[in-house]
Amino acid sequence: MPARGTDPPPSAATLRRLERASGAIATRAVARMDEDLPWFRAMPADQRSWVMLVAQAGIASLVEWCRNPGRPPRLTGEVFGAAPRDLVRAVPLKQTVDLVKLTVEVMDDHVESVAEPGDAVPLRMAVLQFSREVAFATAHVYASFAENRGAWDARLEALVVDALVRGERTEELPGRTAALGWAGTEPVTVLVGAAPPDGDAHAAVRRAARSSGGEVLVGVHAEQLVVVLGGAEDVAAAAARVAEEFGPGPVVLGPVVDRLSAAGGSAAAALAGLRAARAWPGAPRPVSADALLPERALDGDPLARAALSERVVLPLRGAGGEVLETVRAVLAGGGNLEASARALFVHPNTVRYRLKRAAELTGQVATDPRGAWTLHVALALADLDGGRSLWH
């Protein structure tokens, strides 16, 4: 920072008087803050005391600066080093500017009483120029804090996403997510897919999520982009918007859960779906992990196999032999209802009624290609499991 130029410095006697008066000036500055700034009155006592120390350090730095006109001021350490870093979190930049402004005004008010005869103008000019240096130092402190906080947040976010992907249940998760600004946002779901090849997608994903009214945690895990999406009113619409920011290939949406601590299950299902998605080349983007249950089961996912049994096989078996027999006949007949009716010796309307009942129970339509595939895989796996139980 450049020196003060040709302005004459205050005399040594004036600087000694200013140094002796620094405590009283700082006390008066804090009193003015208390009078003029309602938010300052509401601050805890420890933070108010730190502000007092910063004001005193600022006056001391002014004295030292005036005694050594050619020395660049080191205000970041000399002035703001008196306060802990927590104070930067507690006091926003705009409020800090108000504090500096009031302190400078109080110092200016004391110029006449502190300066030796003929020294008022040099001291006032020194205060004015010093306040400019303080403004630059303030901006530097907050810019450095923002940069460091951004790097810390990125590391913390990566730890949270990694813990969810690994299915870890850690007591630190609520505190870590709260530090990232995630405050009980629900519902929650997880999207996974390829990371974009052209660089960091974090900012684009955040914009996409917030445009849909949601919040996100973003991480890259083994070259896969993992997005934890929460708080969106329309989860499907928000997921579709966020999916646009992924790299080429499938994007899988995990099941919706009611809290972040349960997002590990959503992530596990989404990752299993991503591994199996290659078996469904025409899958929509994003595709839900539940829609990929057949492929996941064939890929060896025990959770998918159990889900097919619970959602498809058991309801069909519980509905009675006629419904299950009809579903098997329609699958074997390629969806031809008339042929299935002849094979079962019933009217086609009876077949339609039974298929409607099966669809109500399982959510799968036997005459729809995708529904037929899901039913076929679920029943085949159940038959294999039943065969194993006979042999063991």
Side-chain angles (χ1 to χ4, degrees):
M1 196 66 64
R4 295 193 306 274
T6 59
D7 296 324
S11 67
T14 292
L15 294 178
R16 285 194 298 271
R17 294 183 63 177
L18 177 61
E19 202 167 22
R20 288 194 296 269
S22 62
I25 294 174
T27 300
R28 178 55 190 151
V30 172
R32 277 283 306 278
M33 296 170 194
D34 194 69
E35 293 168 6
D36 298 352
L37 303 174
W39 56 265
F40 182 78
R41 290 195 295 272
M43 288 178 65
D46 59 334
Q47 293 179 3
R48 290 158 60 95
S49 67
W50 284 117
V51 172
M52 167 79 82
L53 288 178
V54 170
Q56 288 179 318
I59 298 171
S61 184
L62 168 62
V63 172
E64 184 63 26
W65 185 56
C66 291
R67 284 174 174 163
N68 299 277
R71 182 183 72 88
R74 301 180 180 89
L75 301 185
T76 300
E78 293 176 353
V79 178
F80 294 101
R85 294 193 62 82
D86 287 345
L87 192 63
V88 182
R89 296 188 180 94
V91 184
L93 177 58
K94 182 180 182 303
Q95 294 180 350
T96 301
V97 170
D98 291 339
L99 296 179
V100 171
K101 180 174 177 290
L102 273 177
T103 303
V104 171
E105 289 177 358
V106 171
M107 290 173 66
D108 189 69
D109 291 342
H110 283 73
V111 164
E112 296 292 342
S113 61
V114 169
E116 291 286 338
D119 255 2
V121 172
L123 181 56
R124 182 167 281 111
M125 289 301 300
V127 170
L128 178 62
Q129 293 169 18
F130 186 75
S131 67
R132 181 189 64 185
E133 306 295 344
V134 171
F136 281 116
T138 302
H140 180 268
V141 167
Y142 276 85
S144 298
F145 173 77
E147 183 178 355
N148 293 336
R149 176 61 189 268
W152 169 251
D153 283 355
R155 290 193 293 270
L156 185 59
E157 184 176 33
L159 286 173
V160 169
V161 172
D162 189 65
L164 292 174
V165 167
R166 295 178 184 278
E168 298 176 3
R169 295 186 177 275
T170 171
E171 295 179 357
E172 289 82 7
L173 183 63
R176 289 175 175 176
T177 53
L180 292 168
W182 187 291
T185 304
E186 57 183 44
V188 179
T189 187
V190 178
L191 288 94
V192 297
D198 54 352
D200 186 10
H202 288 60
V205 167
R206 292 186 209 287
R207 286 194 299 270
R210 287 167 184 166
S211 69
S212 302
E215 291 292 334
V216 290
L217 300 172
V218 187
V220 176
H221 184 82
E223 299 184 354
Q224 296 164 348
L225 183 62
V226 180
V227 175
V228 183
L229 177 64
E233 293 183 3
D234 188 337
V235 174
R241 175 66 187 88
V242 171
E244 296 174 5
E245 307 302 334
F246 281 72
V251 176
V252 181
L253 177 66
V256 175
V257 295
D258 60 357
R259 61 191 185 281
L260 185 64
S261 60
S266 181
L271 289 167
L274 187 63
R275 289 191 295 270
R278 70 184 68 182
W280 186 6
R285 177 184 157 117
V287 58
S288 73
D290 283 353
L292 287 161
L293 283 176
E295 288 78 11
R296 288 168 52 193
L298 293 175
D299 192 44
D301 181 2
L303 295 178
R305 201 158 177 155
L308 286 175
S309 176
E310 180 182 346
R311 301 178 193 180
V312 176
V313 178
L314 293 180
L316 288 178
R317 287 177 175 172
E322 292 180 345
V323 173
L324 179 56
E325 182 185 22
T326 300
V327 169
R328 289 186 181 276
V330 171
L331 295 177
N336 189 315
L337 299 188
E338 286 73 15
S340 301
R342 288 194 296 271
L344 294 169
F345 301 103
V346 297
H347 194 276
N349 285 342
T350 302
V351 173
R352 292 187 180 91
Y353 171 79
R354 292 175 181 175
L355 291 184
K356 180 181 178 183
R357 177 63 177 154
E360 291 172 349
L361 292 170
T362 65
Q364 306 296 331
V365 179
T367 54
D368 172 76
R370 188 67 196 171
W373 165 247
T374 302
L375 290 165
H376 208 139
V377 170
L379 293 173
L381 291 174
D383 290 340
L384 289 173
D385 288 341
R388 290 191 185 95
S389 66
L390 292 175
W391 288 100
H392 290 287

